[in-house]
């Protein structure tokens, strides 16, 4: 269920031939809501989080110019926040989390605090968030007047005690096996890869794995809040960042000032995470068809067919060709899926993906190789890609108990693949390491409203592939007083980053004044991409 845009194309492949997609905070010193914590048997972690936050509030953050190779221009500044690896032992081993910020662009009087961002994953870095100010993103200009924009690398990610499961160059090597199995032998080979990947995570990152959970990242968020000197957190979470926000809101309800969650993971315990990935396969198929309809409607530009069925036939033909003989020696079906899946993810990929597809059909195979094959010379990008996949796997596998019966995985995915073939098996192999995960799997937090939780803004498109719409409805029901803004008949993942005045104005109003509509709101879709 990987749910952040890959930084480079290599990120699209998991070790088992799967995509890395599939997909994804003197309040500072107060302990979280005791009732919430005790119900989860997390009172020791709650105390540990309060101790760590108190320590961080005293220490603050020593802001400096960012290291040159981090790609963060002045006046963005970088720093570190120390957190316990294990919150049950707050005086034990500490890890350092990388954070960055840019000050508010308005006056001192305009300033309303820090706005902390998480883009999803699990495994996504929020460090580029302050660049929305330096690149003068018009959507965020009003908010930037009032808030410092703060990003961070969550535990295990990027500069924050990064974890690894496999050699990065090995991770991106292509072509990988076709995710869709033809025989039992194909399934056996993928199962072996998944088991080896899980073992590799333990061998390379075993000390970190038991603590790579969403609740621990939520505790980290609270320590960051304290280190920033903020009594209450202002938070923007997208995709998996919505689940992080939901867990934070449950554990630390009185520590939130304003929270926006955009493109929402269904927080039901029953959904985290096995069921979430099955639901995603269904939603991806629907959005894939939306893209094919759009390609067909723009046949004058792309020449890929005037109907969805015609475009699908060309896709199946391309897939069969790549299966028989990988294109350019490196682009097989696995690489194709991981390139093409960005179209159902993001409307911004509709034109680029269709353009590459169109060029291929017209005889230009190099464009497809350039777009879909890994770049083995990009060692930094490949390290980042492997790290992102390692964190994705570690968090999802450790957060919750997964089925250990191969028969269940095989039955569920075989059934789904009949009607939803685009992503099903690729997603299954990506998550299969969780079936043989080498550390104890936790029970997910029961996300719900506790005393002190302020009104939360929930933003969601109805045809989102990565986080299906019912997830937003579920969180809306669990967080009393929340407001749901629905973008109807749209499906791009990450709605607050798109131009849609019906949504953009409400986001500004909420962050600047705390104002929410008296009732839920339905907005018309943002503009469809033009070829």
């Amino acid at each position: 269920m990987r749910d952040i845009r890959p930084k480079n194309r290599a990120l699209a492949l998991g070790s088992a031939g799967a995509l890395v997609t599939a997909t994804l905070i003197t309040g500072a010193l107060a302990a979280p809501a005791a009732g919430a914590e005790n119900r989860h048997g997390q009172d020791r972690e709650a105390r540990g989080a309060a101790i760590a936050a108190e320590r961080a509030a005293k220490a603050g953050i020593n802001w400096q110019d960012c290291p040159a190779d981090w790609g963060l221009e002045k006046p963005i500044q970088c720093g570190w926040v120390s957190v316990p690896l294990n919150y049950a032992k707050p005086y034990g081993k500490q890890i350092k989390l990388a954070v960055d910020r840019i000050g508010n662009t308005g006056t001192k009087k305009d300033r309303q605090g820090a706005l902390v961002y998480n883009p999803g994953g699990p495994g996504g870095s929020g460090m580029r968030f302050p660049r929305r100010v330096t690149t003068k993103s018009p959507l965020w200009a009003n908010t930037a007047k009032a808030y410092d924009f703060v990003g961070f690398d969550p535990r295990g990610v990027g500069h924050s005690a990064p974890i690894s499961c496999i050699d990065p160059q090995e991770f991106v090597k292509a072509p990988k096996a076709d995710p869709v199995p033809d025989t039992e032998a194909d399934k056996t080979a993928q199962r072996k890869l998944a088991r080896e990947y899980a073992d590799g995570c333990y061998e390379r990152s075993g000390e970190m794995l038991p603590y790579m959970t969403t609740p621990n990242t939520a505790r980290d968020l609270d320590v960051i809040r304290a280190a920033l000197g903020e009594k209450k957190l202002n938070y923007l979470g997208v995709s998996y960042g919505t689940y992080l926000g939901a867990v934070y809101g449950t554990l630390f309800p009185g520590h939130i000032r304003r929270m926006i969650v955009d493109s929402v993971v269904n927080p039901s315990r029953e959904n985290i995470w096995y069921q979430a990935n099955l639901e995603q396969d269904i939603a991806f198929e629907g959005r894939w068809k939306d893209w094919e309809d759009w390609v067909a409607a723009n046949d004058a530009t792309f020449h890929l067919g005037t109907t969805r069925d015609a475009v699908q036939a060309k896709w199946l033909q391309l897939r069969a060709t790549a299966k028989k003989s990988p294109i350019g020696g490196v682009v097989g079906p696995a690489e194709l899926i991981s390139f093409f899946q960005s179209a159902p993810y993001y409307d911004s990929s509709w034109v680029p993906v269709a353009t590459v597809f169109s060029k291929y059909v017209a005889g230009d195979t190099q464009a497809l190789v350039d777009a879909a094959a890994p770049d083995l010379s990009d060692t930094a990008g490949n390290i980042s890609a492997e790290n992102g996949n390692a964190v994705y796997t570690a968090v999802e596998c450790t957060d919750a108990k997964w089925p250990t019966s191969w028969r269940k995985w095989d039955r569920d995915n075989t059934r789904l693949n009949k009607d939803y073939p685009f992503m099903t098996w690729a997603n299954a192999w990506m998550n299969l390491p969780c079936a043989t995960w080498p550390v104890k799997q936790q029970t997910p937090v029961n996300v719900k409203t506790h005393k002190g939780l302020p009104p939360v803004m929930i933003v969601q498109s109805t045809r989102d592939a990565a986080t299906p719409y019912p997830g937003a409805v579920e969180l809306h029901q669990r967080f009393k007083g929340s407001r749901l803004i629905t973008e109807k008949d749209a499906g791009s993942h990450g709605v607050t980053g798109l131009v849609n005045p019906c949504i953009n104005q409400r986001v500004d109003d909420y962050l600047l004044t705390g104002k929410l509509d008296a009732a839920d709101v339905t907005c018309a879709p943002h503009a469809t991409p033009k070829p």
Side-chain angles (χ1 to χ4, degrees):
M1 177 177 173
R2 185 126 171 94
D3 50 21
I4 53 165
R5 180 187 291 272
K7 281 201 197 106
N8 79 331
R9 55 184 179 255
L11 190 53
L13 297 176
S15 71
L19 358 191
V20 172
T21 320
T23 48
L24 176 148
I25 347 188
T26 312
L29 314 185
E37 293 286 352
N38 289 333
R39 265 193 293 279
H40 304 303
Q42 293 171 336
D43 45 341
R44 285 178 68 204
E45 280 95 344
R47 281 197 297 274
I51 290 164
E54 186 171 1
R55 201 161 50 203
K58 283 179 183 155
I61 299 170
N62 180 22
W63 295 109
Q64 309 271 348
D65 289 343
C66 299
D69 60 349
W70 287 18
L72 299 165
E73 64 274 26
K74 291 179 186 177
I76 299 170
Q77 296 180 301
C78 291
W80 301 93
V81 175
S82 287
V83 299
L85 174 63
N86 175 5
Y87 277 95
K89 296 180 177 175
Y91 299 106
K93 182 180 170 69
Q94 308 291 304
I95 56 175
K96 285 186 183 244
L97 306 181
V99 293
D100 66 344
R101 73 159 182 194
I102 192 164
N104 72 304
T105 59
T107 63
K108 265 189 182 174
K109 196 176 167 189
D110 292 332
R111 187 176 179 277
Q112 295 192 38
L115 177 64
V116 183
Y117 174 72
N118 180 272
S125 166
M127 296 288 281
R128 297 182 71 76
F129 182 56
R131 297 198 71 246
R132 294 189 187 181
V133 181
T134 57
T135 59
K136 298 187 162 45
S137 167
L139 288 185
W140 298 95
N142 291 332
T143 305
K145 286 177 187 166
Y147 291 93
D148 306 342
F149 279 22
V150 174
F152 71 106
D153 276 344
R155 58 172 55 209
V157 175
H159 309 293
S160 297
I163 67 166
S164 169
C165 292
I166 185 175
D167 176 78
Q169 295 297 96
E170 191 66 29
F171 174 73
V172 301
K173 244 179 18 188
K176 302 222 181 325
D178 184 350
V180 179
D182 291 322
T183 63
E184 287 302 314
D186 291 345
K187 292 176 183 177
T188 301
Q190 292 281 14
R191 290 174 65 193
K192 180 170 181 280
L193 284 172
R195 196 164 50 248
E196 287 170 353
Y197 186 83
D199 292 345
C201 293
Y202 191 70
E203 284 163 20
R204 295 169 78 99
S205 306
E207 184 186 28
M208 292 277 291
L209 290 194
Y211 310 107
M212 290 294 298
T213 65
T214 303
N216 276 336
T217 304
R219 294 176 187 115
D220 293 344
L221 191 53
D222 200 60
V223 178
I224 290 169
R225 171 200 57 73
L228 289 166
E230 300 286 330
K231 282 200 167 69
K232 296 203 172 188
L233 179 75
N234 303 291
Y235 177 76
L236 171 62
V238 181
S239 197
Y240 165 78
T242 67
Y243 183 58
L244 175 59
V247 171
Y248 183 90
T250 303
L251 298 183
F252 301 94
H255 291 193
I256 299 166
R257 180 173 177 267
R258 292 189 188 139
M259 177 181 284
I260 298 178
V261 288
D262 168 6
S263 304
V264 180
V265 171
N266 185 329
S268 160
R269 280 172 151 174
E270 290 69 38
N271 193 59
I272 303 296
W273 286 105
Y274 179 76
Q275 188 62 32
N277 282 282
L278 299 181
E279 300 290 344
Q280 199 179 37
D281 299 337
I282 297 167
F284 257 98
E285 198 71 31
R287 194 60 180 160
W288 172 248
K289 287 172 179 172
D290 291 349
W291 177 72
E292 290 182 320
D293 287 339
W294 174 86
V295 171
N298 289 284
D299 184 61
T301 302
F302 300 118
H303 314 295
L304 291 165
T306 56
T307 64
R308 179 200 294 173
D309 287 349
V311 177
Q312 176 71 1
K314 284 212 167 53
W315 158 251
L316 293 175
Q317 189 181 348
L318 168 59
R319 209 184 177 294
T321 301
K323 185 178 176 80
K324 192 174 175 187
S325 178
I327 296 154
V330 283
V331 178
E335 291 70 33
L336 284 177
I337 294 170
S338 52
F339 170 63
F340 275 82
Q341 53 81 21
S342 68
Y345 250 114
Y346 305 104
D347 291 8
S348 59
S349 294
W350 281 17
V351 174
V353 172
T355 301
V356 168
F357 193 9
S358 178
K359 284 181 176 176
Y360 171 82
V361 170
D364 175 4
T365 58
Q366 193 56 44
L368 182 59
V369 173
D370 290 344
D375 177 1
L376 291 175
S377 70
D378 180 17
T379 50
N382 297 339
I383 287 168
S384 175
E386 190 278 324
N387 169 243
N389 196 69
V391 175
Y392 166 86
T393 309
V395 173
E396 293 214 356
C397 294
T398 312
D399 257 359
K401 292 169 178 64
W402 287 69
T404 55
S405 156
W406 165 246
R407 284 182 65 187
K408 178 169 176 58
W409 286 76
D410 193 19
R411 185 177 66 243
D412 289 348
N413 287 284
T414 299
R415 175 178 53 80
L416 271 183
N417 184 66
K418 286 192 179 80
D419 295 320
Y420 312 103
F422 178 67
M423 282 277 291
T424 295
W425 277 113
N427 208 3
W429 304 129
M430 182 181 172
N431 291 291
L432 190 60
C434 298
T436 57
W437 198 235
V439 302
K440 185 185 176 193
Q441 294 176 320
Q442 308 293 321
T443 300
V445 166
N446 183 23
V447 168
K448 62 190 291 190
T449 304
H450 293 293
K451 189 180 175 187
L453 183 73
V456 170
M457 176 180 276
I458 301 171
V459 189
Q460 179 80 30
S461 62
T462 55
R463 296 190 63 74
D464 189 323
T467 52
Y469 184 74
V473 176
E474 181 74 24
L475 183 61
H476 184 30
Q477 289 169 345
R478 286 168 181 261
F479 273 2
K480 290 186 176 63
S482 61
R483 285 286 173 269
L484 174 58
I485 300 174
T486 299
E487 190 184 26
K488 198 168 192 280
D489 300 326
S492 201
H493 190 58
V495 179
T496 52
L498 301 172
V499 176
N500 187 335
C502 177
I503 294 166
N504 308 143
Q505 187 61 53
R506 285 179 165 85
V507 167
D508 275 357
D509 286 347
Y510 175 67
L511 288 173
L512 296 174
T513 70
K515 175 180 169 246
L516 284 170
D517 289 272
D520 294 340
V521 176
T522 299
C523 292
H526 62 273
T528 305
K530 288 186 170 53

